[in-house]
Amino acid sequence: DVKVTQSSRYLVKRTGEKVFLECVQDMDHENMFWYRQDPGLGLRLIYFSYDVKMKEKGDIPEGYSVSREKKERFSLILESASTNQTSMYLCASSPYGGGVEQFFGPGTRLTVL
Amino acid sequence: GENVEQHPSTLSVQEGDSAVIKCTYSDSASNYFPWYKQELGKRPQLIIDIRSNVGEKKDQRIAVTLNKTAKHFSLHITETQPEDSAVYFCAAKRRGAGNMLTFGGGTRLMVKP
């Protein structure tokens, strides 16, 4: 059973703070993803990683960075949080290749005050 | 890049009726189309997918159809039940290597008992 876990379910931060969101998967998946979910906008890809230390920008990378130092862990970093980054953040992982299922974490609801 | 449009944004049906959700995509090179279901407060989970070499796929009460010429695909749920109430997302795999998906905006399905 694939398990994707995220460090927090709920997080409240202040404008300007540096925020770290952590994601861990236990299935040795090569691909990992960070999405942002907002009502009516679906899931929008922030960053994608296909291997350790490798990353690609998604559709909305501005204001975010990522780190993948180990295969099982993918971190999303908000360098200076802003109120427009208040959202639900979902991590996902999948095996190598295209056209394969993505397994999602439970999500982190981030509120920036 | 790929663009995926999903309609309707909300859908209310009586228990036992059928529900249809439609998506269109822009990139003719897309070859994999998954559907994810997200129950309230839960993570998205894959319910069915279809590849571009197939026109239709069924799994019990759910089916997906694909029209490559028109670049649209649809999810059909028959004999709806209250537990089908959720948000449904369609997606299309982007061209190129990797497993990046572009998601539609989501459809909130409500099944009234």
Side-chain angles (χ1 to χ4, degrees):
Chain A
D1 203 21
V2 177
K3 286 220 169 40
V4 182
T5 57
Q6 294 183 228
S7 49
S8 306
R9 288 302 303 270
Y10 301 94
L11 208 53
V12 179
K13 295 292 182 181
R14 298 263 176 213
T15 301
E17 281 192 80
K18 191 168 186 175
V19 181
F20 293 86
L21 303 182
E22 301 277 319
C23 175
V24 178
Q25 51 94 4
D26 67 355
M27 286 302 293
D28 203 35
H29 285 168
E30 286 77 13
N31 296 327
M32 295 189 76
F33 311 83
W34 274 106
Y35 293 95
R36 172 175 170 160
Q37 182 176 13
D38 299 289
L41 298 178
L43 281 67
R44 291 181 292 166
L45 182 65
I46 305 172
Y47 268 98
F48 160 57
S49 171
Y50 52 93
D51 202 350
V52 174
K53 296 190 188 297
M54 306 305 290
K55 62 186 179 186
E56 280 192 30
K57 291 181 180 179
D59 300 315
I60 51 167
E62 297 79 18
Y64 304 94
S65 61
V66 290
S67 173
R68 191 156 179 211
E69 296 296 319
K70 293 185 177 182
K71 190 175 184 180
E72 67 270 18
R73 188 179 298 269
F74 192 33
S75 302
L76 180 70
I77 304 153
L78 288 66
E79 295 290 341
S80 177
S82 63
T83 54
N84 62 12
Q85 293 178 308
T86 292
S87 187
M88 171 67 82
Y89 290 88
L90 287 164
C91 173
S93 73
S94 77
Y96 176 77
V100 293
E101 181 176 358
Q102 292 188 15
F103 296 87
F104 284 86
T108 295
R109 170 124 358 240
L110 172 67
T111 301
V112 183
L113 302 176
Chain B
E2 175 75 279
N3 184 47
V4 177
E5 300 278 343
Q6 183 171 347
H7 299 280
S9 56
T10 60
L11 180 59
S12 182
V13 299
Q14 287 294 140
E15 182 177 357
D17 287 351
S18 295
V20 180
I21 303 170
K22 299 182 179 182
C23 291
T24 60
Y25 60 99
S26 60
D27 189 350
S28 57
S30 293
N31 60 8
Y32 173 68
F33 307 91
W35 286 88
Y36 284 80
K37 174 183 180 183
Q38 186 178 29
E39 297 177 16
L40 190 63
K42 301 277 183 69
R43 67 192 76 192
Q45 291 191 296
L46 179 72
I47 55 171
I48 195 167
D49 56 16
I50 192 167
R51 300 181 193 278
S52 58
N53 58 349
V54 174
E56 184 176 3
K57 184 176 178 181
K58 286 184 180 179
D59 183 3
Q60 299 182 349
R61 295 186 298 108
I62 60 173
V64 58
T65 58
L66 172 65
N67 183 326
K68 285 189 295 182
T69 303
K71 290 189 284 187
H72 67 70
F73 56 112
S74 300
L75 178 71
H76 304 254
I77 306 174
T78 59
E79 300 171 23
T80 53
Q81 300 168 4
E83 52 265 37
D84 295 327
S85 296
V87 178
Y88 292 81
F89 294 99
C90 64
K93 180 187 171 300
R94 305 180 190 201
R95 68 168 63 210
N99 196 29
M100 284 194 283
L101 302 173
T102 298
F103 283 85
T107 296
R108 180 173 298 280
L109 174 64
M110 293 168 284
V111 181
K112 294 178 286 186

